[in-house]
Amino acid sequence: MMKTVIHIIILVLICSSCQLLEDQETFDYDLYNSSFGIFDFGFYEVPQSLEVSQNCDIYISGTTSKMHDPTDYLLLKFNFDGKLDTKFSDNGHMMFDIDAGIDEGNQLLLTDDNKIIIGGRSNHGVDIGTVLFDYSLAKFNDNGVLDKSFGGEGKVITDFGYRDDAINKLISNDEKTFYAIGRASNGKDDDFAIARYDYDGNLDFTFNDIGRVWIDFGMSDDVAYTAEKTHEGDIIIGGSSNSGATPKVAFAKIKSDGTLDTSFGDNGLKVWKFSPPGLIYDLDINGNDVYASGFIDNLVTFNILVTKFDLEGKIDKNFGKNGTKIFSDFKSDSISTSIHIINDHQILLAGTIKNNKNEDAALVMIDNKANLDLSFGNQGVFTFDAGKNEIFTDIKMVNDKLYVIGLHSDEDEGDVILFRMYKQNVNSCN
């Protein structure tokens, strides 16, 4: 069943307005209360991306479907008290159809003017038995109404020119443009793909002259799942690159004009050489430090993987074993889908760890040397077991509160988990 849940997450990933705490204080688990809700909208929901505004409005995007119908974008809005905002769309809940076929809402971006952009993939046809997907975007006003100034219809489809394209990450560039990062075919296999748009949905042709960039590691399929912008305006991208049939942890760094930063790694690219198949789902940057997490498959169990390097791609040899920590001390399957740097010495991972019967959603706190922070949860691990299979998929921290979303699933139904942790006696937005 662990592999079933992982395959669901991988499917959605294929298919930043919240900032770090400024005071950098220690996150002390014992000082915090927690609350959670599981929301069932009657269909199968896969929540994937989370954003929280400065006034504590909570937005969740993902994918949903009615019975045997093709999937659609999912968009939810909660008030700061964790209740659905009944003034938003259909009582806080929206299913949105980009095209007549399959739509997957993988990522969420809040704009400075309180509008919501969702990015993912949508299929537009079939080529020799293969379903074709393109980058897809939609933009909504804060009340859930489609912003039709975006692309002329409120939605944008971008075809990179070949078979299969998908957005897995959205990040803001400046007040005029944003990036969409994912994968796109080059006609033979998949590459890291980056597009830059303005907030009206137009490709920004000052970026690589065509508004788009392919990054080919020279192997076979390459897939970007995550990216973050550095303080200098460059973009570090993480994902996987296949060597034959074996996916390797892979990174790339590009400049703001779309060219590779050749000072990073091996001419702008970096591939981890250890043998087990692995990939990176998420990364975060703190000053000159980059932390990235995902998992490896050691053919017996899945293990959480975390790696640390600097902005030039040089590994931190004091972190784990030669810059990488593989959590083989978890005797059962475990993966990390999201990572968030709390402060200089606390890094929080979200994902899942298998128990004797099923998978529990999990938070894991480590320090800057890859040791478990034993003050957090139970020996560094907090698990959430609601009786089925659970996985946390995204984490954010804003206004001294930790927000986490996840999937509560069995074979027939998927529900939305919204989890929040906040300081004792402090549960207001401000």
Side-chain angles (χ1 to χ4, degrees), residues 146-163:
L146 195 66
D147 180 357
K148 293 191 175 181
S149 69
F150 185 77
E153 297 180 348
K155 53 188 179 181
V156 169
I157 302 290
T158 302
D159 186 354
F160 274 67
Y162 298 98
R163 287 190 175 184

Side-chain angles (χ1 to χ4, degrees), residues 26 37 76 152 162 172 253 262 282-283 288 342 360 362 382 391 415:
T26 298
L76 308 173
Y162 298 98
S172 176
K253 184 179 180 182
T262 56
D282 199 17
L283 65 85
N288 196 46
I342 302 293
D360 295 337
F382 174 91
I391 183 170
D415 301 328

Side-chain angles (χ1 to χ4, degrees), residues 286-336:
N286 180 33
N288 196 46
D289 295 327
V290 181
Y291 293 86
S293 69
F295 75 95
I296 66 162
D297 181 359
N298 65 17
L299 304 182
V300 177
T301 57
F302 293 103
N303 296 138
I304 289 175
L305 173 149
V306 188
T307 188
K308 181 184 179 184
F309 52 93
D310 65 19
L311 297 180
E312 288 71 47
K314 297 177 182 177
I315 63 172
D316 182 348
K317 293 184 178 181
N318 294 317
F319 183 85
K321 183 178 180 180
N322 292 323
T324 300
K325 172 69 173 181
I326 297 172
F327 284 86
S328 56
D329 43 342
F330 296 152
K331 302 303 181 182
S332 56
D333 290 324
S334 63
I335 68 170
S336 172

Side-chain angles (χ1 to χ4, degrees), residues 90-135:
D90 182 14
N91 290 318
H93 172 260
M94 175 188 293
M95 298 176 64
F96 184 75
D97 190 10
I98 293 284
D99 210 336
I102 298 169
D103 306 308
E104 295 171 354
N106 297 337
Q107 266 291 309
L108 184 64
L109 178 68
L110 295 184
T111 68
D112 291 339
D113 57 352
N114 295 319
K115 295 191 177 183
I116 308 115
I117 297 175
I118 303 178
R121 69 173 188 164
S122 297
N123 79 288
H124 64 85
V126 176
D127 180 16
I128 316 178
T130 301
V131 177
L132 304 178
F133 286 90
D134 290 329
Y135 268 32

Side-chain angles (χ1 to χ4, degrees), residues 190-220:
D190 289 339
D191 293 335
F192 281 18
I194 307 95
R196 191 161 76 194
Y197 300 86
D198 64 27
Y199 284 99
D200 291 325
N202 305 302
L203 283 168
D204 177 7
F205 294 115
T206 67
F207 181 69
N208 196 39
D209 294 330
I210 59 172
R212 291 163 290 168
V213 169
W214 289 257
I215 299 176
D216 187 355
F217 285 75
M219 300 177 186
S220 52

